[in-house]
Amino acid sequence: MHDACAPKTEKDTRPIAEAPEKRVFIKTFGCQMNVYDSERMADTLGAAGFAETGSPENADLVILNTCHIREKAAEKVFSELGRMRVLRETRREQGGDMMIAVAGCVAQAEGEEIARRAAVDIIVGPQSYHRLPELIERRAGNRGPVIETEFPAAEKFASLPAPKLRAAPAAFLTVQEGCDKFCTFCVVPYTRGAEYSRPVAQIIEEAKRLAERGVREITLIGQNVNAWAGQGPSGKTWTLADLLRALSEVDGIARLRFTTSHPNDMSDALIAAHRDLPKLMPYLHLPFQSGSDRILKAMNRKHRMEDYLRLVDRLRDARPDLALSTDIIVGFPGETEADFEDTMRIVERVHFAQAYSFKYSARPGTPAADRPGHVPEDTKSQRLASLQALLFAQQTAFNSAMVGRTLAVLWESRGRNDGQVVGRSPYLQPVYAEGDTALIGRITDVEIMAASQNSLRAVIKNLDEDAT
């Protein structure tokens, strides 16, 4: 109790010591979904008193946000965990400590194995990372690792804090998770679960917050994003085309994209959206995986190449300036030389602006892993080299065709050299030009002066008139 009769003393003006802020380092493996998830983990932990750091050496918490798509994904995680364990031992010798967490799809698929083989504190699946602050507290009271992989996507998205301000003028926005397609080579249905579509109101609100923070371009992401379906304000079910139309009306958003798409879910309305919405960029990622109908059936893709080619023609009729990228797997079990030549013919027919091509690698627990007829590794390597030579030639030709053209570029960051800025064209090509960093976040017209396989060099045109 305060004593009114106590002698007065001079006020102590020394600042009150605050608890030191904890630091988190997040290493992201894999796809755009994981990039988005890592950002939202940082948002969640920021609200719990953690600041991001760019180095694991001084982190109080290290999170490996893992991807199960690439070859030997789990072994790469264990290798990284070995390095983190050495860092933690060093920290402990210096009187500190470090908590280690594994998140993402490898955590979901192989959590028990990780707990058995590695000294980790937290194992959290992709639908449970909103619970990280709680899991950290639980770990403090546990002798063994905390494993959490069983919460639904709806709870995650309802619990996440608002995205914090980030410097980049382009952002990902997850609208859909999971997949019901069950392609025989893919682990996504087992690690991300069944398809879940975020509600319309949640998506629109997040887009508005991003726009208020200076984001000019939004890429809607999901494992099967064009299968998104959510309840609109009137109670009617919206499709992705409806959502894109609504997002095109959000003030401040100048560009829209979406990825990754399945050919079977490319509806008439979505094709029309490419025709009708100027803000929807003329660049579409549309995987076909194999040019052989026999292999597509073995992959459980549920479409034939005739269907894919008809879809490509319809899209290009609707949007003549549309460019396509794709995913291709070579060496799927049972693939013959004739099957591979079918794939090469499709690439020659379609002409892709960019592509991701891979050798098939078995994923434990997927049906294809147990199929007979696995292709020898050297054969897969030879086929991939031939395919990539064709794809790289097409990508270089596409970029070279830009020389002399005027393109609108969204400037995103400093370039590699002083006085240089780098941005993205409507076709996602990196574009370099001489310019001030005040351009970052603005869209200007440029003239393309030179092209390489991976980027364009440009001169900014009529800056005072064209910048937006």
Side-chain angles (χ1 to χ4, degrees):
M1 180 179 291
H2 178 69
D3 186 348
C5 298
K8 293 183 179 179
T9 60
E10 290 188 5
K11 183 178 180 180
D12 188 348
T13 58
R14 291 175 298 177
I16 297 173
E18 296 182 357
E21 193 169 39
K22 291 169 285 188
R23 292 157 299 188
V24 58
F25 171 78
I26 304 175
K27 181 166 183 176
T28 306
F29 300 81
C31 64
Q32 296 101 324
M33 291 285 288
N34 270 19
V35 173
Y36 177 90
D37 285 349
S38 290
E39 290 178 352
R40 304 316 308 277
M41 285 184 212
D43 294 338
T44 299
L45 290 167
F50 282 84
E52 284 188 85
T53 178
S55 169
E57 280 78 9
N58 63 353
D60 301 289
L61 170 65
V62 169
I63 301 174
L64 305 181
N65 189 17
T66 61
C67 176
H68 213 297
I69 298 299
R70 299 294 179 260
E71 187 176 5
K72 299 181 180 177
E75 290 309 311
K76 290 176 183 177
V77 171
F78 286 117
S79 176
E80 193 69 24
L81 284 171
R83 287 192 284 272
M84 294 304 107
R85 185 179 66 249
V86 171
L87 284 179
R88 179 164 62 184
E89 290 171 355
T90 301
R91 287 285 299 280
R92 287 175 174 172
E93 290 170 359
Q94 297 169 347
D97 204 355
M98 173 194 290
M99 191 173 287
I100 299 174
V102 180
C105 291
V106 175
Q108 182 78 29
E110 305 194 37
E112 296 293 340
E113 179 71 2
I114 292 169
R116 186 182 68 80
R117 287 180 54 183
V120 300
D121 300 287
I122 296 170
I123 298 167
V124 57
Q127 308 300 4
S128 307
Y129 63 73
H130 62 291
R131 301 179 66 90
L132 272 168
E134 174 191 330
L135 301 180
I136 292 167
E137 289 186 11
R138 281 172 51 189
R139 177 62 183 94
N142 276 27
R143 297 186 64 180
V146 173
I147 303 176
E148 195 61 86
T149 57
E150 297 300 327
F151 284 83
E155 177 182 328
K156 175 178 76 175
F157 287 114
S159 304
L160 290 171
K164 77 172 186 178
L165 175 63
R166 289 185 170 85
F172 297 124
L173 198 170
T174 293
V175 300
Q176 181 271 341
E177 282 209 47
C179 186
D180 296 341
K181 294 294 188 287
F182 286 92
C183 298
T184 58
F185 56 80
C186 185
V187 297
V188 166
Y190 312 103
T191 59
R192 292 271 181 173
E195 289 176 1
Y196 167 76
S197 296
R198 291 182 70 186
V200 170
Q202 223 179 72
I203 296 168
I204 299 293
E205 180 59 30
E206 184 168 338
K208 288 179 177 178
R209 288 198 300 262
L210 290 170
E212 289 167 359
R213 289 159 169 78
V215 170
R216 306 297 312 282
E217 175 180 297
I218 289 176
T219 301
L220 308 182
I221 56 175
Q223 272 81 32
N224 190 22
V225 69
N226 56 347
W228 178 89
Q231 189 176 59
S234 67
K236 177 187 173 184
T237 299
W238 282 21
T239 66
L240 185 64
D242 298 317
L243 180 63
L244 287 165
R245 291 178 191 278
L247 289 170
S248 72
E249 297 175 3
V250 173
D251 288 342
I253 299 302
R255 292 179 162 189
L256 293 169
R257 306 181 188 272
F258 62 92
T259 193
T260 289
S261 303
H262 194 288
N264 291 5
D265 292 313
M266 189 60 65
S267 66
D268 292 346
L270 199 48
I271 294 171
H274 280 278
R275 179 194 65 209
D276 299 337
L277 299 179
K279 291 185 179 181
L280 182 55
M281 292 294 95
Y283 183 85
L284 176 65
H285 188 66
L286 192 64
F288 75 90
Q289 305 298 2
S290 172
S292 162
D293 285 345
R294 191 178 69 84
I295 296 299
L296 288 174
K297 183 176 181 181
M299 289 178 167
N300 196 36
R301 290 289 290 172
K302 300 185 176 71
H303 67 83
R304 298 172 302 161
M305 281 317 306
E306 180 184 350
D307 304 321
Y308 185 89
L309 293 174
R310 188 183 304 115
L311 175 59
V312 167
D313 290 341
R314 292 184 62 206
L315 283 161
R316 286 177 167 164
D317 286 344
R319 186 75 182 259
D321 63 339
L322 184 74
L324 294 171
S325 64
T326 196
D327 292 342
I328 307 171
I329 296 172
V330 300
F332 187 82
E335 182 187 75
T336 64
E337 195 64 30
D339 294 323
F340 174 67
E341 289 302 323
D342 286 342
T343 295
M344 294 289 280
R345 277 190 288 272
I346 294 301
V347 173
E348 290 168 348
R349 158 79 160 76
V350 176
H351 289 275
F352 293 99
Q354 208 257 339
Y356 301 94
S357 51
F358 313 98
K359 293 186 292 186
Y360 170 79
S361 60
R363 292 289 170 269
T366 59
D370 298 324
R371 289 181 62 89
H374 280 255
V375 177
E377 196 65 27
D378 61 343
T379 301
K380 288 193 287 187
S381 296
Q382 292 167 8
R383 291 176 184 173
L384 183 64
S386 298
L387 173 63
Q388 288 185 339
L390 175 58
L391 291 169
F392 293 163
Q394 290 187 353
Q395 182 175 334
T396 301
F398 180 79
N399 288 350
S400 296
M402 300 292 126
V403 175
R405 289 184 56 182
T406 296
L407 298 177
V409 171
L410 171 60
W411 301 107
E412 296 186 351
S413 63
R414 296 174 182 269
R416 291 172 291 196
N417 303 320
D418 290 340
Q420 187 183 66
V421 286
V422 61
R424 295 278 177 174
S425 77
Y427 303 106
L428 268 184
Q429 299 142 309
V431 180
Y432 293 86
E434 300 301 314
D436 191 88
T437 54
L439 285 167
I440 294 172
R442 301 169 73 186
I443 298 172
T444 70
D445 282 346
V446 304
E447 182 180 354
I448 304 303
M449 308 303 293
S452 67
Q453 181 183 309
N454 296 310
S455 64
L456 305 175
R457 184 168 56 82
V459 171
I460 298 171
K461 298 176 61 176
N462 304 321
L463 179 58
D464 292 337
E465 299 175 15
D466 295 337
T468 59

